[in-house]
Amino acid sequence: MVLEFGCGTGRLLALLEANGAFDRLVGVDVHAEVLEFAADRVARAELVRADATDCSVGTSFDAVCAFEYVAAHMRTDAELRAFLDTAYAHCRPGGVFVFDAVSKPGAVREESIGVYRSPGYRLERAVDVIPVPNGSVFDLRVDYRATNRETGEQAVVSERTAIRTIGVDDLRKRLAAAGFADVDIGPTAGEAGAIVAVAHRPEPNRYKPV
Ligand SMILES: C[S@@+](CC[C@H](N)C(=O)[O-])C[C@H]1O[C@@H](n2cnc3c(N)ncnc32)[C@H](O)[C@@H]1O
């Protein structure tokens, strides 16, 4: 059983579904619009509109994950703590939480254009990076253009979001404070400054001190 926080348009869920090894897939995202794309992409996943800093899907999972900088959207320390607590609460004892984060601004320096297709719509996403003076936060301006493939009707939405950077030692401390153990954090093979963290919810201690 796998839970993905910030599943967006369902890119990872589609890969997990194709893999076939997982009996239950659940995707959570705060934006209903992206979940509609995910619903077109992944037939078998349960999709839930909820905030990853404050939700309960009602089950605990073997693996909880959050990719493409969902953690970096947690601007304040309180939000990041609530996100880690929510992830912990959804991991079964012995389960794993895997997510990426931004340790250095380099990871978000890239501007990009992405195109997502579903049977009914085509979604284009253009990302601009805007440095903010304090150095640990960057603003991303993201423009979305959705086109109805049948009628040609278009909707355009713009959003500006802050991306926080976090050091490896700081993240390690925050994971420990949330209860995670056996933590491994390392650079991703791709963008410089992007890190991946693997953290485990400990099994309850079966032995009592004598
Ligand atoms: C850059 S997208 C990544 C989407 C997907 N994980 C992927 O790999 O394609 C980040 C996603 O996180 C979602 N998100 C941001 N803050 C969130 C929150 N507090 N709770 C749930 N989803 C959130 C956004 O709506 C967005 O879909």
Side-chain angles (χ1 to χ4, degrees):
M1 294 204 298
V2 179
L3 169 65
E4 184 186 12
F5 282 122
C7 65
T9 55
R11 206 166 49 122
L12 178 61
L13 290 174
L15 293 173
L16 295 173
E17 184 175 68
N19 177 287
F22 307 98
D23 58 355
R24 190 173 171 207
L25 296 172
V26 178
V28 167
D29 203 286
V30 76
H31 288 122
E33 300 82 353
V34 293
L35 290 177
E36 285 180 27
F37 279 86
D40 280 342
R41 234 182 195 177
V42 274
R44 209 161 54 77
E46 296 156 52
L47 300 169
V48 180
R49 184 190 180 186
D51 189 326
T53 63
D54 181 21
C55 70
S56 173
V57 167
T59 321
S60 54
F61 292 78
D62 304 308
V64 175
C65 60
F67 282 109
E68 281 292 319
Y69 308 138
V70 179
H73 287 307
M74 307 299 153
R75 277 164 243 225
T76 65
D77 289 349
E79 275 177 327
L80 182 58
R81 175 67 203 244
F83 173 59
L84 298 180
D85 286 347
T86 309
Y88 183 88
H90 284 87
C91 273
R92 68 162 171 79
V96 65
F97 176 38
V98 189
F99 64 103
D100 60 8
V102 177
S103 70
K104 290 192 199 123
V108 291
R109 206 173 285 143
E110 290 289 310
E111 312 213 333
S112 64
I113 293 184
V115 179
Y116 308 90
R117 289 180 185 81
S118 78
Y121 292 87
R122 170 191 157 96
L123 178 72
E124 294 154 277
R125 192 177 76 148
V127 179
D128 290 316
V129 180
I130 303 156
V132 170
N134 92 5
S136 68
V137 176
F138 282 72
D139 268 4
L140 288 191
R141 200 189 71 216
V142 188
D143 298 319
Y144 296 96
R145 183 167 62 187
T147 308
N148 183 317
R149 288 158 80 104
E150 201 180 320
T151 63
E153 195 185 344
Q154 287 193 332
V156 177
V157 179
S158 238
E159 67 176 14
R160 192 163 165 158
T161 61
I163 294 285
R164 85 181 274 156
T165 58
I166 186 162
V168 169
D169 291 342
D170 188 5
L171 183 56
R172 203 180 289 283
K173 281 187 201 137
R174 288 170 199 269
L175 282 163
F180 287 104
D182 194 8
V183 172
D184 192 10
I185 304 176
T188 67
E191 300 114 315
I195 50 175
V196 171
V198 180
H200 295 83
R201 176 172 174 156
E203 300 267 13
N205 196 348
R206 286 189 297 136
Y207 302 101
K208 290 200 169 79
V210 287

